[in-house]
């Protein structure tokens, strides 16, 4: 009994820390927006520090890497991660943390639909209801409010699609048992770092945009919280390995709730009644998905 209690306490602690880390990334980008920072440099330095933390914490086994690795899968993720990160930054800038976090978390429906359409997974009625509620939630959450009538909603839509595709690809990486997952993560971070270095170097050589210390500082914080999110999420799954849906639900619901509180209370983001209704629908849709597991 005591062991079960301690396991649940450890699970809650890991989930809370993972949620805080996830929302903190959005908060940092929200603050960086007002500091005349360079988003590409922040993303570059984010991967520098995330990669270093990956080495220190996970000690990736590079000896396990061989010519049989699914190189195009790794390349796809290495490219998609920083690109979708840029969409995330643009979305936070244009419509705020609340809607961006909701769009990111509702992207789970892309991977769910992929499991149905591409991998032949059978759906039960409860899961179909959850998917239907989820798309209704997305419509309500992304509905325009009075302060963003003229702002494009393409960025949260790209966040929704991008993170959904990333989730599908990461599931395929996790299924590749020949290489430990943490080693795969190190390789993917390395590809993302190389891509962003090339982009920032191009800006330096062609556009004369130099490195700035403030971008390094923001990149450090983003990298630490980004890695912390992954670390604590993985630990939560290890602690509650027999109930992955509980971890999944806690993480997604926690980010939507905390992101909403931070956006509305701290940054005074304006939401309509329809937006609030959409957030409630998002929580219900995740609950239905978990019940169907």
């Amino acid at each position: 009994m005591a062991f079960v209690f301690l396991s649940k306490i450890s699970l809650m602690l890991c989930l809370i820390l993972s949620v805080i880390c996830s929302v903190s990334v959005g908060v940092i980008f929200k603050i960086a927006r007002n500091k005349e920072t360079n988003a590409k440099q922040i993303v570059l330095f984010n991967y520098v520090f995330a990669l270093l933390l990956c080495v220190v914490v996970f000690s990736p086994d590079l000896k396990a890497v061989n010519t049989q690795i699914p190189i195009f899968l790794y390349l796809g993720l290495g490219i998609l991660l920083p690109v979708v990160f840029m969409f995330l930054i643009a979305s936070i800038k244009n419509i705020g943390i609340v809607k961006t976090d909701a769009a990111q978390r509702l992207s789970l429906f892309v991977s769910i639909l992929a499991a149905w359409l591409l991998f032949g997974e059978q759906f039960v009625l409860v899961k179909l209801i959850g998917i239907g509620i989820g798309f209704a939630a997305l419509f309500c959450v992304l509905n325009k409010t009075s302060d963003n009538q003229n702002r494009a909603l393409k960025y949260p839509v790209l966040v929704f699609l991008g993170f959904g595709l990333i989730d599908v690809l990461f599931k395929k990486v996790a299924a590749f048992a020949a290489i430990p997952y943490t080693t795969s993560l190190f390789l993917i971070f390395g590809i993302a770092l190389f891509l962003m270095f090339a982009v920032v170097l191009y800006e330096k050589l062609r556009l004369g945009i130099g490195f700035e210390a403030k971008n390094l500082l923001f990149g450090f914080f983003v990298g630490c919280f980004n890695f912390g999110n992954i670390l604590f999420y993985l630990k939560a799954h290890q602690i509650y390995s027999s109930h992955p849906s509980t971890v999944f639900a806690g993480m997604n619901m926690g980010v939507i709730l905390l992101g909403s509180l931070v956006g509305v209370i701290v940054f005074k983001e304006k939401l309509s009644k329809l937006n609030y209704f959409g957030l409630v629908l998002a929580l219900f849709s995740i609950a239905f998905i978990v019940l169907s597991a």
Side-chain angles (χ1 to χ4, degrees):
M1 183 67 71
F3 176 75
V4 173
F5 177 74
L6 289 174
S7 293
K8 289 185 177 181
I9 293 294
S10 298
L11 171 67
M12 288 299 298
L13 179 61
C14 287
L15 281 177
I16 289 170
L17 290 173
S18 183
V19 167
I20 290 173
C21 287
S22 180
V23 174
S24 294
V25 171
V27 170
I28 293 167
F29 281 125
K30 187 83 171 179
I31 295 171
R33 172 191 173 188
N34 300 320
K35 303 294 184 181
E36 296 183 0
T37 53
N38 183 298
K40 296 182 183 66
Q41 289 187 24
I42 292 176
V43 174
L44 166 65
F45 291 125
N46 147 71
Y47 285 118
V48 170
F49 292 109
L51 203 62
L52 289 173
L53 286 169
C54 195
V55 172
V56 173
V57 177
F58 293 144
S59 300
D61 181 15
L62 296 182
K63 293 180 181 179
V65 179
N66 54 55
T67 56
Q68 301 301 315
I69 66 169
I71 186 64
F72 289 108
L73 178 60
Y74 282 49
L75 282 173
L77 275 167
I79 294 170
L80 267 176
L81 280 175
V83 170
V84 176
F85 225 143
M86 297 306 298
F87 292 153
L88 182 77
I89 296 169
S91 182
I92 292 170
K93 176 181 177 181
N94 281 277
I95 67 167
I97 292 174
V98 178
K99 295 184 176 185
T100 300
D101 275 343
Q104 181 182 350
R105 292 301 151 183
L106 286 171
S107 67
L108 66 99
F109 296 109
V110 175
S111 59
I112 290 173
L113 287 174
W116 179 33
L117 298 173
L118 300 179
F119 307 114
E121 182 178 322
Q122 297 299 312
F123 277 18
V124 295
L125 179 60
V126 176
K127 183 171 286 189
L128 290 172
I129 292 172
I131 291 173
I133 295 174
F135 282 115
L138 189 67
F139 170 80
C140 294
V141 168
L142 297 185
N143 191 267
K144 296 178 181 178
T145 51
S146 57
D147 67 332
N148 66 0
Q149 285 291 335
N150 298 320
R151 294 178 182 176
L153 292 176
K154 63 181 180 181
Y155 294 115
V157 172
L158 289 171
V159 166
F160 170 77
L161 295 174
F163 276 104
L165 181 56
I166 286 171
D167 187 48
V168 172
L169 295 179
F170 263 122
K171 280 184 171 63
K172 292 185 72 67
V173 167
F176 185 68
I179 298 178
Y181 185 78
T182 50
T183 301
S184 294
L185 198 63
F186 173 83
L187 294 174
I188 292 165
F189 278 169
I191 294 170
L193 172 62
F194 179 80
L195 174 65
M196 290 311 301
F197 178 77
V199 170
V200 171
L201 184 62
Y202 172 82
E203 285 193 338
K204 168 66 176 176
L205 298 177
R206 296 297 299 270
L207 304 177
I209 300 176
F211 290 97
E212 293 187 75
K214 59 184 176 183
N215 297 321
L216 175 65
L217 180 62
F218 278 111
F220 167 75
F221 286 118
V222 171
C224 290
F225 283 116
N226 192 21
F227 181 80
N229 173 34
I230 296 170
L231 174 65
F232 292 119
Y233 188 58
L234 288 176
K235 283 189 175 295
H237 272 294
Q238 290 172 350
I239 293 169
Y240 231 50
S241 58
S242 58
H243 297 83
S245 59
T246 302
V247 178
F248 168 80
M251 178 64 186
N252 284 277
M253 289 182 176
V255 169
I256 290 175
L257 289 172
L258 182 59
S260 299
L261 289 173
V262 171
V264 172
I265 297 174
V266 178
F267 295 106
K268 311 300 181 185
E269 294 178 4
K270 295 180 181 178
L271 300 178
S272 66
K273 291 181 180 179
L274 187 60
N275 296 151
Y276 282 114
F277 180 62
L279 293 173
V280 174
L281 284 180
L283 297 178
F284 272 106
S285 69
I286 293 170
F288 271 95
I289 294 296
V290 171
L291 287 173
S292 72

